[in-house]
Amino acid sequence: MLWSSLGPERTSNWIMPKGQGQWSSEFKVNVLHTMDLHTTKGDFKGWSVLKKQAFVARICQVMTRHVMMGVSVAAVKDTYRSHKANRAQSRRQTTSPYAWCLNWIVDNALRSTVVGKEANTHGLSLILECGNEHNTEAEKNFYAIRDEHKLEAVLRSISFVPKQECRAIQIADLLAFYSRRHGVAMEKAPVFPSGPR
């Protein structure tokens, strides 16, 4: 999971001090694990669909005050690997799908009509969930891009935090989980040549 923040004041609001309380006294959820929410396990055991929807609605309410934009990027791994194999003879290095998605997010944040001005003015800091096998590559790419394009003042930092210590990572997990499921469903959906009937 990835969270990017614009400016130092946005970053500090989302990193939780150890032992900080629940999402809200109303729901008594300590850490948002989206898979648990989806499968009604862990903190969500025994919850009705309506209660889960109310919880997500409450998160969205809070997000509107703090989140400028949410982006979900995915690469179809089989297609990506096929293209990577075709480029094997090229001298250009191809990154993992994870690092490619990260690069896409950084590039688009800097060019965005929604957040680009703030990103270029106040800087962009990335917070990734620790534990992913591709984090080292992502960090290396971040600094390579920053150095190559002389973006030291814009691409401020990349850091790694445990999910349980960062609400932003938990929200990014929520967005990624459901947007990916939606994307997979769209990939499998029948194509109507002349549009739906």
Side-chain angles (χ1 to χ4, degrees), residues 134-152:
H134 299 292
N135 280 348
T136 302
E137 178 189 18
E139 183 175 27
K140 181 181 167 191
N141 284 357
F142 175 85
Y143 288 114
I145 290 166
R146 188 172 88 163
D147 295 345
E148 182 179 340
H149 299 286
K150 306 203 180 339
L151 293 169
E152 290 82 1

Side-chain angles (χ1 to χ4, degrees), residues 101-151:
C101 290
L102 176 73
N103 293 345
W104 189 96
I105 289 170
V106 168
D107 183 59
N108 281 274
L110 296 179
R111 298 171 192 258
S112 167
T113 57
V114 178
V115 297
K117 182 177 180 182
E118 188 162 344
N120 283 283
T121 302
H122 299 291
L124 186 69
S125 296
L126 303 179
I127 304 169
L128 282 72
E129 182 178 356
C130 54
N132 188 292
E133 65 181 302
H134 299 292
N135 280 348
T136 302
E137 178 189 18
E139 183 175 27
K140 181 181 167 191
N141 284 357
F142 175 85
Y143 288 114
I145 290 166
R146 188 172 88 163
D147 295 345
E148 182 179 340
H149 299 286
K150 306 203 180 339
L151 293 169

Side-chain angles (χ1 to χ4, degrees), residues 46-83:
W47 283 27
S48 67
V49 171
L50 189 60
K51 185 172 181 180
K52 292 195 286 185
Q53 290 171 338
F55 175 71
V56 172
R58 181 72 182 108
I59 290 172
C60 292
Q61 270 183 327
V62 172
M63 284 174 49
T64 60
R65 295 191 303 270
H66 301 283
V67 179
M68 294 178 74
M69 180 173 78
V71 178
S72 177
V73 179
V76 178
K77 288 181 184 175
D78 290 340
T79 304
Y80 191 91
R81 286 186 188 115
S82 169
H83 287 287

